[in-house]
Amino acid sequence: MARIDHIRDLAPNVRELTLCLVEPGPSALHFLAGQSIAVEILLPENQSQTVRYYSLASPSIQSTRFTLLLSLADQGVGATYLFQQSEGATVQFQGPHGIFYLQEDKSQQILFIATGTGIAPFLSMLSSLLNNATTIPVTLYWGLRSERDLYYQAELQALADQYPCFSFVTTLSRAHQGWSGATGRVTELVARLPSVDGLAVYVCGHQPMVNEVSQILREKGDCPIYREQC
Ligand SMILES: Cc1cc2nc3c(=O)[nH]c(=O)nc-3n(C[C@H](O)[C@H](O)[C@H](O)COP(=O)(O)OP(=O)(O)OC[C@H]3O[C@@H](n4cnc5c(N)ncnc54)[C@H](O)[C@@H]3O)c2cc1C
Ligand SMILES: NC(=O)c1ccc[n+]([C@@H]2O[C@H](COP(=O)([O-])OP(=O)(O)OC[C@H]3O[C@@H](n4cnc5c(N)ncnc54)[C@H](OP(=O)(O)O)[C@@H]3O)[C@@H](O)[C@H]2O)c1
């Protein structure tokens, strides 16, 4: 069981929840960066339960507190239930689960590709890589809709300033006039990659995006592609 310690609204439909483990349950959460937990969701109509998976966005060394990123864009039962919870509320969960975590091959350059809250596992993976003093080039392509949907830009820029091996591109698919950054869907960035030689690619977010990115990469050549199944 975990208690919601802090709620932060990052964008109109995106909320960051910081949770703290409470008894009964494990006294520490041991997970690999990129893994997720299954959160118990109480269904309103008949008070029965279901589960929804959420990626752990915080560093994997932080074992009693962890962070989730939620998108309410779909207005589904899981996200709606979690958005209704206040600080101090408790949630039940199982896990960690999943095989979406950093692979050991150190000879590859890493490319993370995300849309929306699909950034969550990559935040944890980035912490692992950068805290372990990686020298492998790591690039993040992140697709969001418009300026109002932007979040974590300052944090990512701070990492890029501190760690020369890390760079990122945030691309807006519905940018307004005056946005000087990249525009278009994240798939357009992938299509412009000159080559996939030496790349290990991790993809997370909308399932159609994951499929399209995989297809574009395969047309360019052979590289490992690790996909989170939504
Ligand atoms: C391993 C894993 C990790 C994940 N990590 C994250 C994460 O970090 N952050 C995050 O935001 N999400 C994450 N997800 C997705 C998350 O688990 C949920 O699937 C997501 O929050 C949507 O669930 P929901 O219950 O809110 O929506 P659901 O109620 O399941 O609805 C899903 C979609 O179906 C539509 N729908 C539902 N019922 C109907 C109906 N009767 N008729 C027509 N359409 C309908 C909804 O509008 C919505 O578009 C992850 C998923 C997996 C598998
Ligand atoms: N581990 C996981 O599996 C995991 C983790 C976190 C989140 N998720 C899921 O990821 C999704 C993120 O949703 P969100 O609401 O945060 O994002 P969003 O705001 O709906 O979309 C962000 C961006 O994705 C683009 N996009 C949509 N479909 C695309 C496609 N087929 N190809 C390329 N780009 C596409 C959008 O472009 P347009 O403006 O053109 O639509 C927009 O630029 C949610 O469904 C969430 O549940 C999964």
Side-chain angles (χ1 to χ4, degrees):
M1 190 192 292
R3 186 184 60 237
I4 299 174
D5 259 8
H6 190 59
I7 295 175
R8 193 156 68 110
D9 285 323
L10 302 174
N13 277 322
V14 181
R15 177 166 283 188
E16 179 194 77
L17 296 187
T18 302
L19 297 108
C20 181
L21 291 177
V22 289
E23 302 288 344
S27 55
L29 189 64
H30 300 286
F31 66 98
L32 297 169
Q35 286 188 306
S36 54
I37 55 170
V39 178
E40 287 184 12
I41 305 295
L42 207 55
L43 296 172
E45 63 274 15
N46 54 7
Q47 297 292 298
S48 62
Q49 287 179 353
T50 185
V51 295
R52 289 292 182 271
Y53 289 85
Y54 293 96
S55 303
L56 293 149
S58 42
S60 50
I61 47 166
Q62 235 182 60
S63 54
T64 57
R65 278 166 70 83
F66 56 91
T67 304
L68 305 179
L69 272 191
L70 311 174
S71 165
L72 190 59
D74 289 340
Q75 307 277 335
V77 290
T80 301
Y81 172 80
L82 287 173
F83 263 71
Q84 285 166 348
Q85 304 306 307
S86 308
E87 287 176 354
T90 53
V91 291
Q92 300 276 4
F93 70 93
Q94 293 109 39
H97 298 293
I99 55 166
F100 188 66
Y101 45 76
L102 286 167
Q103 305 299 308
E104 277 301 313
D105 189 349
K106 295 201 171 21
S107 63
Q108 310 274 357
Q109 299 183 20
I110 292 176
L111 175 60
F112 293 139
I113 301 170
T115 47
T117 52
I119 190 72
F122 298 141
L123 295 172
S124 188
M125 290 183 186
L126 261 180
S127 298
S128 282
L129 286 164
L130 300 177
N131 289 336
N132 287 321
T134 187
T135 52
I136 312 169
V138 182
T139 305
L140 165 69
Y141 288 170
W142 187 14
L144 293 169
R145 282 200 177 142
S146 67
E147 288 82 345
R148 65 180 217 145
D149 302 309
L150 288 165
Y151 52 97
Y152 288 155
Q153 297 302 297
E155 289 87 340
L156 290 171
Q157 189 56 56
L159 289 177
D161 291 342
Q162 187 179 353
Y163 298 97
C165 65
F166 171 62
S167 61
F168 72 103
V169 180
T170 303
T171 184
L172 297 184
S173 51
R174 306 182 198 191
H176 296 99
Q177 267 189 344
W179 168 252
S180 58
T183 56
R185 281 184 160 187
V186 76
T187 32
E188 295 171 41
L189 290 180
V190 180
R192 289 202 290 270
L193 277 172
S195 154
V196 296
D197 286 352
L199 277 185
V201 185
Y202 295 74
V203 197
C204 183
H206 291 283
Q207 196 61 53
M209 179 281 290
V210 175
N211 294 337
E212 286 168 39
V213 161
S214 304
Q215 176 71 26
I216 296 168
L217 291 169
R218 286 193 187 112
E219 284 165 10
K220 287 181 178 286
D222 224 2
C223 68
I225 305 171
Y226 306 105
R227 305 150 47 109
E228 181 60 293
Q229 304 297 329
C230 299

